[in-house]
Amino acid sequence: MSKLVINPLNRKSKINREIYGQFSEHLGRCIYEGLYVGEDSPIPNVNGMRTDVVEALKAIKIPVLRWPGGCFADEYHWKDGIGPKENRKKMINTHWGGVVEDNSFGTHEFMELCRQLGCKAYINGNLGSGSVQEMSEWVEYLTFDGLSPMTELRKENGREEPWEVAYFGVGNENWGCGGHMTPEHYANEYRRYETYCRNYHQDKQLYKIACGPNEDDYNWTQTVMKICTENVPANEKRLNGLSLHYYTTTNGFGDKGSATEFTPDQYYTVLSRGLKIEELIRRHSDIMNQYDPNKEIGLIVDEWGTWYDVEPGTNPGFLYQQNTMRDALVASTSLDIFHKHSDRVKMANIAQMVNVLQAMILTEGEKMILTPTYHVFKMYSAHQDCTLIDSFLETEEIGTDAAKVPNLHESASIAEDGTINLSVSNLSASEAYEVQSILVETKVSDVSAMILTQETAAHNTFEDPDHVCAKPFTDFKVTEKGIDFTIPACSVVQFAIR
Ligand code: AHR
């Protein structure tokens, strides 16, 4: 019997709802087909956005959406995507599949999508191949309401009022696809570009995000933090967030592996590689603490998730992959880790929302399926904006010779109305475990729970869309001290404890 101790008296940081953020890039069938089908499509839509997908996404309470990339962001010229659609420039999406990008989804369409989803906008500007003026004008076009050429242009294009843009990324992966820069060079460029991303509203300041490290590139973090924070007057906030990108593959980018066909070794290897994000967050945070001891600058994990070989027969540049219970566990354990580091991790954006990498939703023509990862996001949405509370779970090491992981993983939070949200995952492919939980100084009167469980490679298909879905969980007992339960192999359980 594993012991789980939860102490609601020990309240920690707020779990920003933005930790449940999403990412949508002009890549494969994420935007086109997945989210946007155009007003004339036979697929039901509102202003071109597919209704089925938008409704399903609303149910998981999307707090923020990042766009237009990714690598695409650093070759995107926003003025190509405004004005009458028939006049918009066509281009080749050189990063992703070499397909024609007709720019029919641009700034106005993205802001309309955010409106329909009821989420905040996170726009990623082009530092790699764009100019300071271009980035500055985009911010002006989006957010200014005074007399200016960009305001006039926006009005000519049918939008009178400025939009609210919460987050603005100053370049993406500028150590790689965004210009192959050194950290010194990028940090100085950040200072220059950021200066002209004006704050037009004192009460709604842009949250500016610098390109952060790839995985364990600690030198990048050290250098960018140093240069971007030095000689900045205390009352000026020029850097609000630093991004971190980490993808989970089976054995590195040279051997990404299959999404659905894997051995026990590969199952545990992926889970173990997913858990590595904890060490990355801890070590990058340690460096950030040197320059920002009060934790005012957020670590923004704006690309994370699993990355496998594409589904056989699909365009290799479209990054279309299936999604199994293994991915559900990478999602649940990563979200637990973000919760536990929510004093520094202020936003995270899983890659990507529809039809690309570890997606919430897959589409095929007019059909749509929800992935196991979607169900985790839905169950876990209870944690949004709650306060992390102290939890400790006794675990044992399991796995194969190839990779070891803890058998169980957990996080807990408390809502304003006193409800305790507890998430527990069982990473074992075959063993169920009994858990005895103790809730310090808490009288439990009412418990409800949901479970997502299946064998490790189980996934939903267009023929069998509900093979993996969350169901009510009743295998628990309320005790004097808390609750006891048995958690089946390969599962995620979400409790609401009152
Ligand atoms: O999410 C796919 C790609 O991964 C993004 O475009 C890029 O930023 C990262 O390398």
Side-chain angles (χ1 to χ4, degrees):
M1 173 95 77
S2 296
K3 278 220 167 50
L4 165 62
V5 181
I6 300 159
N7 185 355
L9 302 179
N10 191 352
R11 297 183 184 207
K12 301 180 159 195
S13 40
K14 180 179 166 206
I15 297 171
N16 265 1
R17 66 171 68 181
E18 284 77 12
I19 281 176
Y20 289 80
Q22 301 277 334
F23 173 34
S24 60
E25 181 167 9
H26 288 238
L27 194 178
R29 298 186 301 114
C30 181
I31 299 286
Y32 301 111
E33 284 187 47
L35 289 157
Y36 181 74
V37 286
E39 285 97 336
D40 301 332
S41 170
I43 297 175
N45 68 84
V46 175
N47 298 329
M49 315 297 156
R50 25 188 321 169
T51 308
D52 54 351
V53 170
V54 167
E55 289 306 313
L57 291 170
K58 275 160 71 177
I60 58 172
K61 301 191 192 142
I62 307 267
V64 57
L65 182 58
R66 177 174 183 243
W67 172 84
C71 294
F72 184 78
D74 277 295
E75 64 175 351
Y76 181 61
H77 300 287
W78 68 272
K79 284 186 186 162
D80 296 346
I82 55 170
K85 292 202 177 174
E86 60 280 12
N87 299 342
R88 295 190 190 175
K89 278 188 196 160
K90 293 190 172 47
M91 64 188 269
I92 299 292
N93 189 334
T94 53
H95 272 296
W96 305 119
V99 291
V100 173
E101 162 64 61
D102 69 1
N103 278 303
S104 55
F105 188 96
T107 301
H108 291 248
E109 289 75 21
F110 174 66
M111 297 310 296
E112 167 63 10
L113 174 61
C114 291
R115 186 194 67 78
Q116 290 190 24
L117 292 172
C119 74
K120 292 184 187 166
Y122 171 8
I123 290 190
N124 210 117
N126 177 349
L127 181 143
S129 71
S131 66
V132 174
Q133 181 180 357
E134 182 182 13
M135 191 183 286
S136 171
E137 288 183 339
W138 201 4
V139 172
E140 184 182 322
Y141 187 89
L142 286 158
T143 62
F144 193 41
D145 55 1
L147 187 65
S148 88
M150 289 305 112
T151 306
E152 288 306 306
L153 185 59
R154 187 187 67 231
K155 289 182 182 177
E156 274 168 33
N157 289 330
R159 173 78 189 189
E160 202 59 32
E161 300 297 316
W163 290 280
E164 269 190 44
V165 175
Y167 300 94
F168 199 84
V170 183
N172 168 74
E173 295 198 350
N174 303 95
W175 36 261
C177 64
H180 296 107
M181 299 176 190
T182 63
E184 290 80 5
H185 181 74
Y186 171 74
N188 285 310
E189 289 290 73
Y190 175 85
R191 290 181 70 114
R192 190 163 75 104
Y193 276 72
E194 173 282 320
T195 306
Y196 301 95
C197 293
R198 303 289 188 202
N199 271 308
Y200 293 105
H201 307 275
Q202 279 320 302
D203 54 334
K204 287 181 229 138
Q205 303 242 326
L206 270 187
Y207 188 101
K208 297 174 193 172
I209 300 170
C211 164
N214 182 29
E215 303 190 356
D216 59 357
D217 186 350
Y218 299 112
N219 178 48
W220 183 279
T221 299
Q222 188 87 47
T223 310
V224 171
M225 283 300 292
K226 177 172 185 296
I227 296 177
C228 291
T229 57
E230 69 193 355
N231 300 325
V232 175
N235 61 343
E236 283 187 30
K237 287 226 167 79
R238 296 198 193 145
L239 174 67
N240 304 103
L242 181 77
S243 70
L244 165 65
H245 288 184
Y246 178 63
Y247 284 102
T248 300
T249 60
T250 305
N251 203 14
F253 279 95
D255 179 15
K256 297 194 286 296
S258 160
T260 51
E261 285 169 22
F262 43 84
T263 62
D265 275 355
Q266 290 168 326
Y267 168 75
Y268 287 111
T269 300
V270 164
L271 295 187
S272 147
R273 291 176 79 104
L275 290 168
K276 188 169 179 246
I277 203 162
E278 204 277 332
E279 178 191 328
L280 299 177
I281 291 173
R282 194 165 24 82
R283 294 186 60 186
H284 286 295
S285 298
D286 284 348
I287 297 169
M288 292 175 80
N289 289 343
Q290 295 168 26
Y291 301 95
D292 176 40
N294 297 330
K295 301 188 177 169
E296 287 170 356
I297 300 172
L299 184 59
I300 308 296
V301 191
D302 59 14
E303 288 189 30
W304 68 275
T306 51
W307 188 326
Y308 307 113
D309 294 337
V310 297
E311 279 300 290
T314 64
N315 186 329
F318 279 16
L319 310 188
Y320 177 75
Q321 66 189 41
Q322 253 295 355
N323 193 297
T324 67
M325 273 306 295
R326 180 175 65 167
D327 300 286
L329 288 166
V330 172
S332 65
T333 54
S334 300
L335 291 168
D336 288 339
I337 291 166
F338 300 154
H339 294 168
K340 292 193 178 191
H341 288 275
S342 51
D343 57 337
R344 182 61 87 176
V345 176
K346 298 298 175 191
M347 172 159 66
N349 309 74
I350 189 168
Q352 298 193 6
M353 195 156 72
V354 185
N355 287 334
V356 171
L357 300 176
Q358 192 174 352
M360 305 294 115
I361 291 177
L362 304 177
T363 68
E364 194 179 86
E366 76 294 347
K367 291 192 232 153
M368 169 195 92
I369 53 175
L370 308 175
T371 65
T373 299
Y374 173 96
H375 292 289
V376 170
F377 268 68
K378 189 165 185 192
M379 289 158 71
Y380 267 57
S381 66
H383 290 286
Q384 291 188 13
D385 284 344
C386 291
T387 304
L388 177 74
I389 54 177
D390 200 32
S391 60
F392 171 80
L393 177 56
E394 263 175 9
T395 60
E396 59 186 75
E397 203 175 66
I398 57 162
T400 62
D401 288 342
K404 302 282 184 212
V405 294
N407 59 337
L408 301 170
H409 209 270
E410 102 299 343
S411 66
S413 69
I414 188 160
E416 266 183 17
D417 69 359
T419 305
I420 294 170
N421 305 301
L422 168 65
S423 304
V424 184
S425 299
N426 180 352
L427 281 61
S428 169
S430 53
E431 297 291 311
Y433 296 98
E434 288 180 10
V435 179
Q436 179 188 48
S437 70
I438 298 167
L439 279 97
V440 175
E441 303 238 348
T442 309
K443 181 89 198 107
V444 176
S445 57
D446 178 50
V447 180
S448 60
M450 296 294 287
I451 184 167
L452 188 71
T453 187
Q454 264 289 359
E455 43 97 22
T456 57
H459 55 278
N460 293 330
T461 61
F462 293 96
E463 294 69 45
D464 188 2
D466 296 319
H467 186 56
V468 186
C469 62
K471 303 204 165 94
F473 176 68
T474 50
D475 195 7
F476 60 83
K477 194 170 79 205
V478 176
T479 66
E480 278 291 290
K481 293 183 176 161
I483 44 175
D484 292 354
F485 56 94
T486 302
I487 183 163
C490 194
S491 62
V492 181
V493 178
Q494 177 74 23
F495 292 96
I497 304 168
R498 287 168 200 98

